[in-house]
Amino acid sequence: QVQLVESGGGSVQAGGSLSLSCAASGYTDSTYCMAWFRQAPGKEREGLASIYTGGGTADYVNSVKGRFTISHDKAKNTLYLQMNSLGPEDSAMYYCAAAAHYCYYLIRDYDYNYWGQGTQVTVSS
């Protein structure tokens, strides 16, 4: 069983930056696809970025490509999301997720079976 705990959310003005963390526990040497999602009120959950803990390149949805960077520190079992050039449209609850398989090209929530509780990001104009 994998436990995921996000942190780092908060409020920031448009144009600012935030860094989210997701501490993972409950697994040993298994490799996972880990991803960041977000969900704004009244909207569907959106996959933003994914990365395979066994190595390889990261994938991003077009709306965050060039602004967000996903990374994983294997020694710390922690997933990160560096978010730059934030705008009000980025305001949402942000979740990290994990799945015990390779990452797929599309970042879809139903491919992930472990989820964190979420951390709120609010961007004011």
Side-chain angles (χ1 to χ4, degrees):
Q1 190 74 9
V2 176
Q3 293 84 43
L4 303 172
V5 179
E6 301 98 335
S7 61
S11 298
V12 65
Q13 288 192 326
S17 299
L18 277 176
S19 181
L20 305 183
S21 300
C22 173
S25 62
Y27 64 91
T28 55
D29 293 328
S30 299
T31 51
Y32 287 79
C33 178
M34 300 192 74
W36 286 99
F37 290 79
R38 68 184 178 191
Q39 188 167 22
K43 293 189 176 181
E44 292 186 355
R45 189 155 48 186
E46 176 187 23
L48 304 176
S50 65
I51 191 168
Y52 184 58
T53 63
T57 58
D59 288 310
Y60 299 90
V61 67
N62 285 340
S63 60
V64 306
K65 198 174 291 184
R67 299 190 299 125
F68 292 10
T69 302
I70 188 172
S71 60
H72 179 257
D73 186 325
K74 198 168 187 177
K76 296 182 179 179
N77 285 337
T78 300
L79 181 73
Y80 301 95
L81 186 68
Q82 177 65 41
M83 304 185 294
N84 299 325
S85 301
L86 288 164
E89 67 278 8
D90 296 312
S91 295
M93 186 71 79
Y94 282 69
Y95 300 89
C96 69
H101 55 62
Y102 289 107
C103 292
Y104 302 135
Y105 176 70
L106 297 177
I107 308 168
R108 301 167 299 196
D109 55 3
Y110 55 76
D111 288 324
Y112 296 81
N113 49 345
Y114 300 108
W115 292 85
Q117 82 289 349
T119 185
Q120 179 68 40
V121 171
T122 302
V123 184
S124 57
S125 58

